[in-house]
Structures are given as C-alpha cells and as structure tokens.
Amino acid sequence: MSKALTADEAIVSCRNLWKVYGPDPHRYVSAHNAGVGALDGHTAAVRDLTFDVRPGEKLVVMGLSGSGKSTLIRCLTRLVEPTSGEVIIGGRDVTKMEPAELRGLRRDECSMVFQHFGLFGHRTVLQNAAYGLEIKGVSRKEREQRARDVLDTVGLSGWENRYPSELSGGMKQRVGLARALASDPQILFFDEPFSALDPLIRRDLQDELLRLAKDIKKTFIFITHDMAEALKLGDRIIIMKDGQIVQVGTPEEILLHPVDDYVRRFTADASRAHIVRVGTVASESKSISVETSAFDAVKVLDDSGNDSAIIVDSHGRPLGYINRSKLLSVGHNDPVGSLHVPVPIISSDRTLHDATNLVMDGNNPVAVIDSEGRLVGVVDTRLLLAALVDLPDHRKEFADLSR
Amino acid sequence: MAAVSSFRIMTTVTKIAPEQETPRAEMQEVETKKSRTRRELNHVVSGLKPPYSSRARRVALYLGLLVAVLSVSSVVGQQFPTSFRVPFGSATEAVFEWGVDHLAWLYEPVAESLEDVLVSMQFMLVDLPAPLLALLLIGIAYARCGPLIAGLLTVALGFVISVGLWDETLQTLVLMVVAVVIAVILGILIGVAAQMNRRFEAFVLIALDAMQTFPVFAYLVPIVFIFGPGNTGALIVTIIWALPPVTRMTILGIKTVPSESIEAATSCGSTGWQILRNVQIPLARPSIMAGVNQTVMFAMSMAIVAAMIGAGGLGQSVWGSLTRLAFGQALEAGIALVLFAIVLDRVTGQGKKSTGHGLFSDFRTLVTTTGAERPALVKRAFQQHRRTILTAAVLFAGTIYISMVPALRFANFETPPESLRLSFADPVDQAVDWLNLNLGFILDVVVDGIQGYVLNGVTALLLAIPWPTVFFVVVGASLLLRGIRGAALAAAGLLGIGVLGMWEAAAITLGIAGAAVLVALFIGLPIGAVMSRSIKLERTIRPVLDVMQTLPVFLFVIPIVVVLGTGAVAGLLATVLYCLPPVIRLTNVALRGVDSETVEAATSTGATVWQLLRTVKIPLGMPTIMIGINQAIILSLAMAVVSAFIGTPGLGQALLTGVVTARLDLGIEAGVAMFLLAVVVDRLVTGVNRKIQAHSHLVPA
Ligand SMILES: Nc1ncnc2c1ncn2[C@@H]1O[C@H](COP(=O)(O)OP(=O)(O)O)[C@@H](O)[C@H]1O
Ligand SMILES: [Mg+2]
C-alpha cells in the first residue's frame, strides 16, 4: 500500500475534503464531526476525503456513477466550491486563494478535459486549442503557433480551421486534450474523458494518452467508471463509493487484494494478463549452486521433496535447469554445472502477458529474476494459467513444480 | 401577438423544470390536506364504513360542498353586489393626472429624443433614392435567405408600389426598425444583467410574465394619456410589447450554455467577464437570435394597434379603412403587412443554414493562414459567402448606376407609375356587396343560429350561476391544484374583478373564449392527430400554420367581417382561427415525439393504429398536448379585445371603449380585470397541466 507523503512531497493533496449539497452544508459537516447523525435533505457528494498525489504520477479515481468523482475533481480547482477541508496544490492552499490567485493557478498550473468535451462551438479547432493562452494574454501569433504544435501532437494537424461540429467524437476529445496541453500545465485533470466514445476510439485515445504521458512529465488525475481503463492507465487507483475512498493502491494491489466485495465486483472481470507481474505469482524454487556435486544436489531435492531445481551462480543468478533423472544418470561427484539445460529468464516486474511466450516455448519452467538478476522464483504453464484465471490458492497447490 | 405561441412553448417548457420542487411540496401539502378531509368525512359518515372506496367518499365530499355553496349562493344573490364597487379607475386617473402635471420633465426628454430619432430616420430614407433602397432591401434578403425570399420581397415591394403604399411601408419599416433596435438592445442588456444577479433575474422573470399577461390595450390607455396620440406613444407601446421575447431568450440562451463549456473556460482561468464575452454570449447567440426574430414579429403584430393611437404607416391604412368599412383598401394594406411579416420572419429567422461563423471571421482565418491549405480555404470561403459577395457587387454597381441616372436618382415611388398601377379595392368592395346581397340571408341564418343557440346559451348559463358559486368552485379548484397560495391568488383575482365592476363582462369574455377553445379543440385535435401520421400532410399543413402564426391578429378579422359582418359570432370565429394553430401544432408534436422504440414495442405486440394512439401515444403525449391547450386558452383571452372591434361584448368591449373615448378610468379597470382573469385562468390551467404530468409518471417522482 502507498505510504503517506509529506505535504511538500505531494503535488496535490487533499485534507478532509467535504462537498455537501443541501440547505445547510456546513451544519451537515459539523454535525458529522460532532458525531451527531446525518441531517436530512442533504447529499454528501464528497465525504471527508484525504489523499495525496505524487508529482508525475497517473492517479485514477474510479467508482460507479454518482459516487462523487466529478464533484471531487471539480473541488480540486474549485470549479465546485468545497464545503470544508483543504486542497493543497504546489504547496498552496487552494481553498484559501483569492479569485485572482485562483485564476492564476488555473491559467498556469492546471488544465482539465471534460466528458462531453466542453468545446466552444463558435470557435475553430485552432481557436479552441489556443483558448487558454488567449486568456493568459499570449500574443496571437505565439499562441496560434503553440496551438498548432499541440494539435500536431494529438494528431489533428490539417484540421485547424474546422469547427467542432465538423469533427467526430474522438477528434473532438483530441481538441479537448490539445486545449488542455496548450498552456503547458503541471497537472492535468480528466473527468471521464473517454466515456462518451466508441470502444475502439476509446482504446486509441487511451494509448495516445499513455504515449503522451511517457513523453511529458506531468501529473495526471483521471476519473473513470471503467475498471479496465483504470487498470490500464493508472499508476495508482483510488476506488470511491458514496463520496468515500474504499481502497487506494496500484492496479496490481487492487486486482489481487480487493478490500471488499464492492471492489471485488469490479475486479472480477478484469483481465490480469497486463496487470499482474510475474514476480507476484512466481513460486519459490529450489536453487542449487553450480559447484554442488550431483550427489549433494539429489539430497537437496530429496529434502525439499522437489523433482527439479534451478542452478544458480555464486551471486544467485540463474544459469540453467536440472531435474532428478538427469542427476541420477551421471557420476556422483560431477558438479551440476555441466549438466543443466539452459533456462529462459524473465524479470519479475514484467507482466504475465510478457511471460506467456517464454513459458509456452519450452517444456521447462521460466526463471524469474529481480532487478539485480538474482533468482526469485519460477513460473510454468500451470502457474501462469492459474494466475490468469485467478484460481484460489494456486501457489500452495503448485508449490512443487514437477509433481 | 403573432409568434406568441411558439414562444410560449419555450417559456412553458423551461418553466416546468425549475419549478418542480415547489409543486411537489405544494402537492404534498394538498395530499395531507386531502387525507385530513377524508378522515373528517369518515367521521361524518361514520355509519358508512369501508366497502365505500376512497373515491366514492371524495365524490360525496365534493357534492356536499357544492350543495353547501349553492345554498349560500342562493341567499347571497346572483350578481356581484355593486355596493362592493371600488373606484380604482378614477383613483388611477387622478394619479396619472398629477403625474402628467408634475413629472413631465422626467419623461418628456425621452419622448422627444425618440421622436427625433424617428423623424430623422424617416428623412434619411426619403433622401435615399427609392430604387436604391429597394435594391438594398432585396440584397439583404438575398444574402441572408437566398433567391426565394428575395423574390418574395421583390413581389412585396412591387405590390406596395403599384397599390400606392410605398410611403406607408417606409413609415412602418422605420417604426419597426427603431422599436426593434431599442427593444433588442434593452432586452440583451437586461438579459445579461439578469444572468449576473439571481435576484434581479427573479424580478425580471416576474415582470416579463406580467407584461405578457397584461393585455396590450391596457397599457395603451395610460401611454396615450401620458404621451398623447402619435408616433412616440406607438413606438413606446411597440417597444414594451416586443421587449419580453428577446429578454427571455437571452436569459434562456445564457442559461442553457453547456456547463462543461463554462467549466472549460473557468478551468483555463477566465474571469467572469471573459466567460460572458467569449463563451456565454457566443454560445447563446442562436437563442438570442431566435428571440430577436420573435421580437421583430411581436413588433410587426403591433402595427395595427400602433395605428390606433395615431402612428402612421400600413397599420394606419388597415385600421382607417376598417373603421370606414372600406374592406378593399384594408385588404390591400393587410396583404402588404402579411408579405412583409413573412419576409421579416425569414430574414431575421434561421436564414441560411450556416455553421454560424461570419464573413469576417472566415476572412480573418484566410489572412492568417498560409501554405498549402490556403487555396482550399479560399475556395470554401467563396462558396460559403457567394451570396454576400454577389450582393455586395450588385449593390456597388447599382449605387453607381442609380446615382448617374437622374430619372432613377430622383425616382419617387409614392405615386405608382401609370403602367404599374394596380388596385383591387373596388372589385373587392363590389364582391363584398354582392356577397351580402346574394348570400347574406344564408349566412344570416347560420350566424343567428350560432348566436342564438350557442353563444347566448353559454353566456346566459355563465351569468345564471350565482357569483359565490363561481368564486368557491374556482378557489376550491385552485386549492386542490396549487395549494393555499394558489387559492389565495385565485380568490384575490376573482374579488378584484368583482370590485372593479367587471364581473359580468368577464363572464361573457370567458364564455366566448371557452366556446372558441372548445371549437378549436374539436377541429384541431383530429387535424393534429392525422398530421402526425403523414409526413406529406405535415409538410403541407406546417407552412400554413407558420403563416397563420406570423399574421398580425387583426388580419384574421378582415375576411371574417367581410363574410359574416360584425358581431359576437364573427369574434368567435376569429378567436377560433387564432387559437387553432398551437392546438394542431402541439398535438402533432406530441404524437410524433413519442419515443420510437416505445412505439415499436407496442407495434410489435400487434397493436392497431387506433390502439397505438389510445394506449401509447396519447397518454405519453398528453403533457405536450396540454401545453397546446394551455396556449389556446391564453390566446383566446388575448383575442378578446380584437374581437371587441367587431362587436363582441365582454371585457374587450369595455377596454376598447376606454381607448376610443380616452377614458383612462374605464380602460384601466377593464385592463386590470382582463389581467386578473388571464392570471386566474392561466394558473388553473397550468395547475391541471401539472396534475396530469404528475399522474402520467413521466417525470420521476
Ligand atoms: N449541483 C448538485 N446539487 C445537488 N446534488 C448534486 C449536485 N451535483 C452532484 N450532486 C450529487 O452528488 C453526487 C455525486 O455526483 P457526481 O460527483 O456527479 O458523481 P459521479 O461523477 O461520480 O457520477 C450524486 O449523488 C449527485 O446527485
Ligand atoms: Mg461524473
């Protein structure tokens, strides 16, 4: 789980954020804090949220519709005025900003992309993309040049002089993205930007966004109600329900350790291949040093009840694979080093998807190594399949690889 | 009053959403009240326990109440007692007299500058060579709407010239342009200001409602009293009448800008002013333009009314001829008005289907673009603005040519050239005479029949009901439909009508309006239903409805008076014609608008056309149909004054007498009574509407 950050480590941090709709929102919050029951006739769209966003991270907020995601993201730049709590962006408390300071923040540091694009139908694509710069007072020439550049980045060059009504949905959202990027903000907010698009177009834009995120070092706060999208895009995911956080974690943590049935219902159908890392599912394997003699190696196998093992060098790096029958067919004192067959190697932070080819290529297991190249475990076909379809307790059951 | 109905749809529709909270609260109030009365009733009829359903009990309760009211009524008497009479009119007159004596310094400068504007505009137009002016107008029509409307305008101008109404036309146009420009500027300013301040907005909306419910003739009287008869008074009346649509549509347009667009601008760091200028107003433009269009049509519809208080122009020709019973001339001027109304509607309306960006912005794009896309852009710009460019070229050449040829430079269209002269005033008058001589007896029988058996009957019935009965029934209904406040309003309104001494007149007006609405429903509902089943029929009927709604009301009157002569029956028929279009239109819209999947679902179960209509389309379309009926009722009341011109008795008659004899007291009293009647009826009808909507379960509870 993510550890708490200090205020200056985080680029955005929310402290006890509330947004209550109704006749007397403040009384609702103080009643809640005092432990008196909830007031009637109010909707608490955001309830006492606290979380941090690290610089450069892609944070996805995910939840069913009505869970308060839109309200939350709008509270961050006060498009919706929070009822209480703090929002700290770049070290400054947004909730205490004067209007002019707030506008400065919106002009220079944050941008937002909207579900229904929020384009200005009376302006050309170019003028839409240049809008933020125009507001900042950048000269026409300069802002149009910059707008052309970002339009090019999102694949819209040649469309500058069209009007939004002439574009398809996917292209409209590219304009929305260009408009957000044009002012070169530190933080980008996305409120379900792809929800209104067709699945194929949606995937294109998700890939486009991932590509962009790799090129530019910006912080993304991304809202979605689609678990697959959250898993694909997020470095970290916040799962919301009724205005509260249910779980925070990396996609893998969420997938493998859902805290409750609400989260489990989302993860049940999620595809694990691209999320779960090999290191997480690899089973421990007996490792035998190259210098060991065949006789000693058989004894090691006997003791552990295994039929096979990985041979490692003095640093623990895997060299090859060996099994009992092979050991028994040679002289007692031959060192195992000369007996092993080569073993495929995969780094533990690669995904199951990456491991599939290696595992299917040969009959033998694949050795999983850590960042220093040391053996951490092995995966084989059965283990991989079990992990992909989420069989319970597969690790225990397949602890012995060669049974 | 032309485009009233399409406009009313808007307001009614928008009204539904924001007010949903209140009626629900009110309804709950009514619910609890109902259950309480039910319990009390249980007490009363404690012998009659259950098997009686709650409905039976309710009916029993209402019957009992009715009997009680009737017995009270028979004691109190039938006519509203004259001893309650309040001299509201003469009091108002005194106030106005004081105002005219002491406050003239306040409004006279305004009046004078308005007068100056009108006069100088008129001079300007007179100075302009008449052929050039005609060319300019046709050019504008062509650039905006293409050859068809330009052709229509050419015909209209040709017609006006050949019947010798050129000067009158110019006068009308000047009055319209000045009134519309002022109304639009004021309206947009008010609309924008309302957008900035919630409280101001609430005030404006209430004021607009009042302005539109108030019969225009009611403020005719005080304005004539203050400004005297003439163009200035007419201008002010026209401005007041034409102001609401553009104001309302500005407010509506700004309000309905998608919130994401505003958020997008806000999240870029725009100031409130920048959002207004860059986002809200541009995106509200289509709505504002629709408002301007309605404002123009409202102003046009005042042409004849303006003439009644001394404005010159086409309206004067219609009105003057009508009062002299010179139908031929009235018809000529009337046709001119209709032609111009249609052209103006098109020119200020949707116009060409452009994507909403103008010559200027396209041109700027051209200038700032370089490189490969340029030729394509140039081509596109030429294609899109071909008409404008063509018009500009023709105008340019025309100006040079006209200024070089003295015969054209000093041409005067006031007296038509011999070769073009045309008049069908005489033949029309002859035809009318012939008609009256030869067919008069048949028509007389029909008219007398309707008068004797229908109108007299209805009126007699309404007058025979003792006033307390009417009072309690209406107030009771308001209580059920709109809660305590609605009931209080209804009570105040009815008593107001009574103490103004207008009870009887109001009853007659209501009777005629009600009869007209019933007839209109009888004709309109089936037409609308048939229309909704055939695209061909819709294509045919729609333009007819459009034209009917574009016409100044008075024009309905001319042919009817020609055929039927004056009297209540002619008034009834004119009212029926006037309130028919919204019924047909909204019935059609309602039945067509039913979700196609729902219709398919019903059809796939094997429903016949009639079953489909009865079980699916009518129930689902009911709320919309009710809006049409609502509009018809309001329009029929608005028609009361107009039908008074052709001899229909009632409130309109009193108001008209006030205007014609310059009796401020009578005019004010009749006007206020009319207003109260309209408000009470409107509330009741919208109350019924909401009940139906609530019971339709179409909106989530
Ligand atoms: N302006 C508002 N007034 C009252 N309630 C609101 C308003 N905006 C949102 N809500 C309520 O707050 C809750 C969260 O809404 P929202 O943030 O839009 O959810 P999401 O974006 O997750 O679908 C919902 O129950 C919604 O009804
Ligand atoms: Mg949302």
Side-chain angles (χ1 to χ4, degrees):
Chain A
M1 292 273 150
S2 55
K3 62 178 194 307
L5 299 175
T6 64
D8 24 293
E9 257 182 301
I11 184 162
V12 177
S13 55
C14 258
R15 294 280 170 267
N16 306 100
L17 191 70
W18 281 89
K19 175 64 194 181
V20 179
Y21 292 105
D24 193 352
H26 289 283
R27 206 156 69 87
Y28 184 95
V29 176
S30 42
H32 177 273
N33 290 341
V36 196
L39 291 181
D40 278 348
H42 291 74
T43 311
V46 170
R47 313 175 64 100
D48 203 11
L49 285 195
T50 300
F51 63 87
D52 294 302
V53 189
R54 300 173 185 135
E57 113 173 295
K58 298 191 291 293
L59 178 72
V60 174
V61 179
M62 129 100 213
L64 293 179
S65 98
S67 56
K69 310 175 300 286
S70 296
T71 309
L72 167 64
I73 202 171
R74 281 166 173 71
C75 281
L76 298 183
T77 53
R78 279 171 63 190
L79 288 176
V80 164
E81 203 61 52
T83 307
S84 75
E86 290 176 355
V87 176
I88 294 154
I89 294 184
R92 291 176 299 164
D93 188 349
V94 176
T95 56
K96 300 208 171 56
M97 284 185 179
E98 295 298 314
E101 195 182 0
L102 183 62
R103 275 200 302 276
L105 176 91
R106 290 171 178 165
R107 286 179 186 184
D108 302 327
E109 284 162 56
C110 310
S111 282
M112 185 151 164
V113 180
F114 296 86
Q115 178 171 6
H116 303 289
F117 324 128
L119 297 185
F120 308 126
H122 58 295
R123 293 170 151 250
T124 61
V125 166
L126 187 71
Q127 289 165 339
N128 265 286
Y131 183 80
L133 299 169
E134 182 182 333
I135 288 302
K136 272 199 211 182
V138 176
S139 75
R140 175 192 294 275
K141 206 170 163 192
E142 199 177 321
R143 69 177 186 246
E144 290 194 343
Q145 189 49 52
R146 170 83 186 132
R148 274 174 211 283
D149 291 346
V150 282
L151 283 173
D152 191 38
T153 327
V154 299
L156 276 184
S157 52
W159 293 86
E160 290 87 349
N161 292 313
R162 301 302 185 94
Y163 284 82
S165 58
E166 300 170 89
L167 306 185
S168 68
M171 287 182 355
K172 283 183 190 166
Q173 195 55 295
R174 285 170 194 265
V175 179
L177 191 57
R179 181 176 62 192
L181 290 174
S183 54
D184 196 24
Q186 278 313 299
I187 309 165
L188 283 157
F189 297 106
F190 297 83
D191 186 11
E192 303 206 20
F194 307 146
S195 298
L197 303 177
D198 295 338
L200 287 182
I201 311 277
R202 188 183 314 166
R203 205 171 65 200
D204 285 350
L205 277 164
Q206 287 166 350
D207 294 340
E208 183 102 21
L209 196 71
L210 284 175
R211 186 177 60 74
L212 268 172
K214 217 178 264 165
D215 294 348
I216 53 176
K217 276 283 147 251
K218 299 201 184 303
T219 308
F220 289 71
I221 298 181
F222 192 104
I223 305 280
T224 181
H225 65 248
D226 174 4
M227 190 61 172
E229 188 169 76
L231 293 170
K232 178 170 179 182
L233 298 180
D235 295 329
R236 227 158 35 106
I237 300 174
I238 291 181
I239 296 187
M240 274 181 78
K241 182 189 175 189
D242 300 336
Q244 282 169 310
I245 293 180
V246 183
Q247 186 171 5
V248 186
T250 63
E252 199 178 19
E253 283 166 350
I254 303 261
L255 258 187
L256 297 178
H257 312 289
V259 292
D260 62 8
D261 283 342
Y262 178 76
V263 182
R264 201 165 292 126
R265 266 175 38 222
F266 287 122
T267 58
D269 300 328
S271 156
R272 296 154 171 266
H274 290 277
I275 308 294
V276 177
R277 291 165 302 143
V278 225
T280 325
V281 301
S283 80
E284 270 175 44
S285 149
K286 265 293 149 214
S287 59
I288 298 174
S289 159
V290 260
E291 285 100 35
T292 320
S293 68
F295 180 77
D296 290 342
V298 173
K299 257 180 43 190
V300 172
L301 286 183
D302 284 347
D303 288 351
S304 66
N306 286 339
D307 259 351
S308 64
I310 301 287
I311 300 183
V312 297
D313 66 9
S314 55
H315 300 286
R317 290 188 289 241
L319 294 173
Y321 167 84
I322 193 155
N323 59 18
R324 187 186 294 269
S325 49
K326 183 92 179 183
L327 285 173
L328 292 178
S329 68
V330 298
H332 282 225
N333 292 325
D334 292 356
V336 291
S338 57
L339 300 174
H340 64 81
V341 291
V343 67
I345 290 172
I346 190 165
S347 161
S348 66
D349 57 5
R350 306 297 292 274
T351 61
L352 298 183
H353 177 261
D354 299 332
T356 311
N357 267 340
L358 285 179
V359 169
M360 289 191 349
D361 268 355
N363 295 323
N364 300 330
V366 174
V368 179
I369 54 171
D370 64 12
S371 54
E372 260 110 64
R374 285 182 305 240
L375 180 71
V376 293
V378 291
V379 283
D380 67 354
T381 322
R382 291 205 266 175
L383 207 49
L384 193 70
L385 277 178
L388 281 173
V389 300
D390 190 25
L391 279 189
D393 293 336
H394 55 272
R395 290 198 206 197
K396 221 180 289 160
E397 204 167 322
F398 294 98
D400 181 1
L401 284 178
S402 49
R403 194 172 60 209
Chain B
M1 268 170 261
V4 162
S5 37
S6 58
F7 171 63
R8 283 249 167 205
I9 308 177
M10 295 278 200
T11 53
T12 325
V13 169
T14 47
K15 257 187 205 164
I16 293 170
E19 285 186 17
Q20 257 170 12
E21 298 313 314
T22 29
R24 210 169 298 140
E26 275 176 21
M27 255 144 50
Q28 268 168 2
E29 208 177 339
V30 176
E31 271 322 313
T32 52
K33 211 160 289 144
K34 246 193 256 164
S35 45
R36 195 161 359 112
T37 38
R38 221 173 284 157
R39 249 185 288 122
E40 283 161 11
L41 188 77
N42 256 340
H43 222 65
V44 178
V45 286
S46 50
L48 318 168
K49 279 269 161 64
Y52 292 88
S53 66
S54 66
R55 165 178 268 181
R57 268 184 270 145
R58 219 184 312 163
V59 170
L61 171 72
Y62 292 152
L63 281 179
L65 280 177
L66 198 64
V67 169
V69 165
L70 282 177
S71 37
V72 171
S73 305
S74 60
V75 177
V76 177
Q78 295 217 320
Q79 292 302 315
F80 200 89
T82 43
S83 49
F84 289 171
R85 182 87 168 74
V86 172
F88 176 72
S90 39
T92 316
E93 188 166 359
V95 171
F96 267 90
E97 266 165 5
W98 182 89
V100 169
D101 287 345
H102 296 88
L103 297 177
W105 55 270
L106 205 67
Y107 60 79
E108 255 172 10
V110 179
E112 272 164 20
S113 49
L114 283 179
E115 182 96 53
D116 286 348
V117 171
L118 275 182
V119 170
S120 51
M121 283 269 301
Q122 237 136 27
F123 276 131
M124 228 171 67
L125 286 192
V126 170
D127 272 354
L128 214 61
L132 185 60
L133 185 62
L135 195 62
L136 182 70
L137 294 178
I138 295 172
I140 294 174
Y142 176 72
R144 268 198 62 82
C145 305
L148 202 71
I149 298 304
L152 185 61
L153 179 60
T154 315
V155 170
L157 288 172
F159 175 77
V160 159
I161 292 170
S162 44
V163 297
L165 287 172
W166 174 256
D167 267 7
E168 283 81 356
T169 305
L170 286 195
Q171 279 182 22
T172 297
L173 285 185
V174 167
L175 192 70
M176 291 302 125
V177 167
V178 175
V180 166
V181 167
I182 295 178
V184 165
I185 292 176
L186 277 180
I188 293 180
L189 285 181
I190 295 173
V192 168
Q195 136 72 23
M196 296 184 179
N197 184 323
R198 277 265 163 82
R199 245 185 245 161
F200 183 62
E201 181 185 342
F203 167 77
V204 168
L205 287 180
I206 291 173
L208 290 180
D209 272 346
M211 269 163 93
Q212 291 199 306
T213 325
F214 220 69
V216 56
F217 292 89
Y219 47 79
L220 220 53
V221 191
I223 281 177
V224 174
F225 199 86
I226 296 173
F227 295 101
N231 274 325
T232 315
L235 183 64
I236 291 173
V237 171
T238 310
I239 292 173
I240 296 178
W241 177 242
L243 187 61
V246 64
T247 314
R248 224 185 258 274
M249 294 298 279
T250 304
I251 295 178
L252 187 71
I254 292 181
K255 222 178 219 146
T256 49
V257 168
S259 65
E260 277 198 354
S261 294
I262 293 174
E263 282 179 336
T266 315
S267 71
C268 289
S270 309
T271 60
W273 171 244
Q274 282 170 324
I275 292 173
L276 187 70
R277 195 169 51 95
N278 294 336
V279 181
Q280 286 174 308
I281 290 183
L283 286 181
R285 220 183 68 163
S287 170
I288 297 178
M289 289 314 291
V292 170
N293 172 247
Q294 287 176 4
T295 285
V296 170
M297 299 320 293
F298 272 44
M300 270 310 273
S301 74
M302 284 297 285
I304 297 173
V305 175
M308 291 168 51
I309 58 171
L314 287 176
Q316 173 60 40
S317 304
V318 175
W319 172 237
S321 313
L322 264 189
T323 47
R324 280 183 283 113
L325 296 181
F327 294 122
Q329 283 175 11
L331 196 64
E332 284 177 0
I335 290 176
L337 265 181
V338 173
L339 290 176
F340 278 101
I342 294 174
V343 171
L344 274 176
D345 186 30
R346 291 302 150 94
V347 171
T348 57
Q350 291 309 306
K352 55 181 175 174
K353 278 194 217 74
S354 74
T355 31
H357 23 283
L359 183 61
F360 179 70
S361 71
D362 275 5
F363 195 68
R364 203 175 53 191
T365 315
L366 268 187
V367 172
T368 52
T369 313
T370 48
E373 340 163 27
R374 200 173 159 133
L377 275 183
V378 170
K379 203 168 146 211
R380 212 165 70 131
F382 262 98
Q383 270 166 4
Q384 276 189 355
H385 302 290
R386 202 192 45 194
R387 284 196 207 139
T388 316
I389 295 167
L390 194 65
T391 308
V394 170
L395 276 181
F396 185 70
T399 313
I400 293 175
Y401 183 70
I402 289 169
S403 57
M404 300 216 313
V405 180
L408 287 175
R409 169 73 187 84
F410 299 106
N412 183 356
F413 289 162
E414 193 185 347
T415 44
E418 205 55 51
S419 57
L420 277 179
R421 186 162 296 162
L422 170 93
S423 172
F424 44 80
D426 289 341
V428 166
D429 287 342
Q430 278 159 18
V432 171
D433 289 346
W434 182 88
L435 206 66
N436 282 337
L437 268 178
N438 295 290
L439 292 178
F441 65 97
I442 303 179
L443 290 172
D444 282 350
V445 171
V446 174
V447 168
D448 289 347
I450 298 177
Q451 175 76 53
Y453 293 106
V454 182
L455 283 181
N456 289 355
V458 170
T459 316
L461 184 70
L462 276 176
L463 288 178
I465 303 172
W467 74 268
T469 310
V470 176
F471 182 83
F472 284 115
V473 167
V474 171
V475 172
S478 301
L479 183 69
L480 287 179
L481 292 170
R482 319 240 0 182
I484 286 287
R485 278 171 60 187
L489 191 75
L494 290 180
L495 286 181
I497 294 173
V499 300
L500 288 172
M502 294 286 164
W503 188 270
E504 193 180 334
I508 294 172
T509 295
L510 199 60
I512 293 174
V517 169
L518 284 184
V519 177
L521 291 184
F522 193 71
I523 304 172
L525 291 178
I527 294 183
V530 173
M531 188 174 159
S532 76
R533 292 207 36 90
S534 149
I535 294 195
K536 243 191 215 158
L537 259 184
E538 193 191 20
R539 289 231 182 93
T540 336
I541 298 179
R542 240 216 162 92
V544 177
L545 296 181
D546 282 345
V547 171
M548 277 174 87
Q549 293 195 308
T550 320
L551 295 183
V553 272
F554 277 91
L555 296 179
F556 284 96
V557 170
I558 302 176
I560 290 171
V561 175
V562 167
V563 179
L564 294 185
T566 57
V569 176
L572 178 75
L573 202 60
T575 311
V576 169
L577 276 185
Y578 188 53
C579 60
L580 195 54
V583 176
I584 299 179
R585 194 184 287 268
L586 282 155
T587 306
N588 173 45
V589 169
L591 299 184
R592 259 177 204 283
V594 176
D595 177 46
S596 63
E597 272 191 12
T598 316
V599 173
E600 278 166 4
T603 314
S604 71
T605 60
T608 63
V609 170
W610 172 242
Q611 285 172 324
L612 190 65
L613 201 62
R614 192 172 49 85
T615 57
V616 177
K617 287 191 172 179
I618 290 181
L620 285 176
M622 206 53 206
T624 311
I625 295 177
M626 279 308 294
I627 293 176
I629 298 177
N630 197 352
Q631 285 179 22
I633 293 173
I634 299 302
L635 288 183
S636 70
L637 282 178
M639 196 63 181
V641 184
V642 178
S643 45
F645 280 99
I646 50 177
T648 312
L651 279 179
Q653 189 98 72
L655 190 49
L656 190 64
T657 313
V659 175
V660 174
T661 59
R663 273 184 57 198
L664 186 63
D665 56 344
L666 184 61
I668 288 276
E669 281 176 348
V672 171
M674 196 100 122
F675 174 66
L676 294 176
L677 184 65
V679 170
V680 171
V681 171
D682 181 58
R683 292 298 150 122
L684 269 184
V685 175
T686 47
V688 172
N689 257 350
R690 283 180 188 171
K691 261 279 172 336
I692 287 181
Q693 200 139 33
H695 281 269
S696 69
H697 305 287
L698 295 181
V699 283

